[in-house]
Amino acid sequence: MSRLNDEMGRFLSGFQVLEDSNYVGGYVEGESKLKSLLLHHQMLSCAFATRKSGYRNRGPKKIFLNHAVAGMKISLGKTPFIMGRTSFLQCHKGARGYMLKKDELLLQRLRSDHDYLPMAPAATGSEEQSSFDESFTPGKPRKERESKKVNCPAVLYWFEVIYFPKLGLSATLSKSAIAKKMKEIRAAVEEMLVNGDYCQRFYVKLPLEGAHQFHSLVTEEPQVGSLEPVHPKIISKIQEIVYLGIDRIAEIELLLKQYIEYELLPEVGIVPDSTNRSFYPTKEDLRNHVRVAKNKIKKIYGMKGGGSGLTGGNSSRHIQR
């Protein structure tokens, strides 16, 4: 998909094409840019679901000057770095193997718990002697529903790199000289991790249209829209508005509309459809995030309203006419 390729090239630094042009890779600086990138990729392709994620303890157990993950080479010159969080996501129409295994285990457990469930008879060659229905599965209404999984092999990776610009080594140092200084580097890394004196970079491996199989990205079902998460900056804005004492949905909608049109969209550089819930959350989305924001404020300040001067519904004087 040329548009997807071009858009990802615009977002990613160190852009590179991987694996027979079906994947692209690169990096972004900071977690907020990672969230915007993943959201934009989902808007142009389809939804992805997390299958495996991990968090490596931020410690100098293993310090790198160059590394390779998921076919991507990581090199920051002579700047030392360590690996942080990782995440592996799969296309929402990907393999259903784990569900099939779960169904099979459930059926075995039900057969062992209940005598009335038929057991498979020994093979006798006579169909009349077999009263066992091989298609039997518990939970009939759900099990008879056709699965939307089509074993699409498309996957998405991202992983965090924590690097230390102040520890940049001289380009003329040999490997043996670096090995001798490693103890000193390790101690400095420990101190910088405690003080927060480091930078984050997120490397991403993204699938293009060619990586998807057995389904189309152009004619996705309307239900896929329900998988669209609200943009993280919109969530932060909702929390900010609730903190100011505004909790009426109509007022929040108007404030968000101004914020999205005049600040967020010019920043991300895209024009989403008005039905896109990532940028235009529904009233139900707003109610959910307002409730979450109130609960956070209540935990922090120990009150039902929120921060200082918060009185719970507020007038519309905050709204720019």
Side-chain angles (χ1 to χ4, degrees):
M1 183 184 290
S2 58
R3 183 190 173 193
L4 182 57
N5 195 341
D6 295 340
E7 287 292 322
M8 294 304 100
R10 185 169 64 88
F11 271 83
L12 291 170
S13 301
F15 181 78
Q16 53 185 308
V17 179
L18 310 167
E19 296 185 23
D20 300 327
S21 303
N22 289 332
Y23 286 83
V24 294
Y27 65 86
V28 292
E29 302 283 354
E31 192 164 355
S32 61
K33 290 187 177 181
L34 171 69
K35 291 179 179 178
S36 296
L37 170 67
L38 296 179
L39 183 61
H40 192 48
H41 179 270
Q42 174 179 302
M43 289 169 54
L44 295 176
S45 57
C46 66
F48 279 75
T50 302
R51 285 290 170 258
K52 186 178 181 182
S53 61
Y55 184 85
R56 301 183 182 180
N57 293 328
R58 293 182 175 182
K61 293 181 180 180
K62 203 161 189 179
I63 299 175
F64 301 95
L65 292 178
N66 53 70
H67 193 39
V69 180
M72 298 178 59
K73 294 181 179 179
I74 306 172
S75 179
L76 303 177
K78 293 290 184 177
T79 302
F81 62 88
I82 61 175
M83 302 300 296
R85 292 168 290 171
T86 62
S87 189
F88 164 69
L89 299 90
Q90 186 181 49
C91 174
H92 74 290
K93 289 187 177 292
R96 193 175 177 265
Y98 70 101
M99 284 297 295
L100 294 175
K101 184 177 181 180
K102 181 180 178 181
D103 295 344
E104 182 180 350
L105 293 174
L106 174 62
L107 183 56
Q108 290 177 359
R109 189 178 74 247
L110 287 175
R111 283 173 177 161
S112 63
D113 293 344
H114 303 284
D115 295 334
Y116 61 83
L117 287 178
M119 297 298 293
T124 59
S126 173
E127 294 183 0
E128 294 181 356
Q129 296 178 6
S130 175
S131 60
F132 178 71
D133 182 6
E134 292 290 348
S135 63
F136 170 80
T137 50
K140 187 174 180 180
R142 178 178 293 274
K143 300 302 178 180
E144 286 186 353
R145 194 178 306 162
E146 185 179 354
S147 173
K148 295 180 181 179
K149 301 293 185 181
V150 292
N151 293 321
C152 175
V155 294
L156 186 155
Y157 294 93
W158 66 258
F159 41 93
E160 179 188 25
V161 170
I162 302 167
Y163 63 101
F164 309 89
K166 293 183 178 180
L167 292 180
L169 304 175
S170 172
T172 59
L173 280 179
S174 63
K175 289 184 178 181
S176 59
I178 294 174
K180 291 178 181 178
K181 291 174 65 69
M182 192 54 67
K183 187 175 181 180
E184 180 183 336
I185 294 172
R186 193 178 300 277
V189 167
E190 287 182 352
E191 183 179 351
M192 288 183 172
L193 286 171
V194 172
N195 298 332
D197 192 8
Y198 57 83
C199 296
Q200 286 176 299
R201 178 176 288 184
F202 292 89
Y203 282 80
V204 188
K205 179 180 178 181
L206 300 168
L208 300 179
E209 187 181 39
H212 293 269
Q213 295 182 19
F214 314 120
H215 70 105
S216 171
L217 300 184
V218 180
T219 58
E220 294 288 0
E221 298 87 337
Q223 300 93 296
V224 175
S226 63
L227 298 173
E228 295 173 348
V230 179
H231 195 284
K233 290 195 174 182
I234 295 179
I235 296 175
S236 298
K237 190 66 177 180
I238 293 172
Q239 294 175 352
E240 178 186 329
I241 293 172
V242 173
Y243 180 83
L244 293 174
I246 304 173
D247 57 4
R248 292 177 56 190
I249 299 301
E251 293 184 2
I252 293 176
E253 273 188 311
L254 185 54
L255 287 169
L256 282 179
K257 183 178 180 181
Q258 295 175 350
Y259 168 72
I260 292 168
E261 291 182 358
Y262 296 108
E263 295 184 40
L264 183 59
L265 294 185
E267 179 183 340
V268 299
I270 59 175
V271 183
D273 190 86
S274 59
T275 59
N276 190 307
R277 290 175 62 176
S278 298
F279 291 92
Y280 299 101
T282 63
K283 284 183 170 61
E284 186 63 28
D285 293 330
L286 293 179
R287 290 190 192 97
N288 291 336
H289 286 291
V290 167
R291 184 178 67 254
V292 171
K294 284 184 174 180
N295 289 338
K296 285 184 177 180
I297 293 172
K298 185 177 179 181
K299 288 181 180 179
I300 295 173
Y301 295 98
M303 60 177 69
K304 292 184 178 179
S308 59
L310 193 62
T311 58
N314 221 334
S315 66
S316 58
R317 66 180 181 273
H318 300 279
I319 303 176
Q320 301 175 6
R321 299 291 183 183

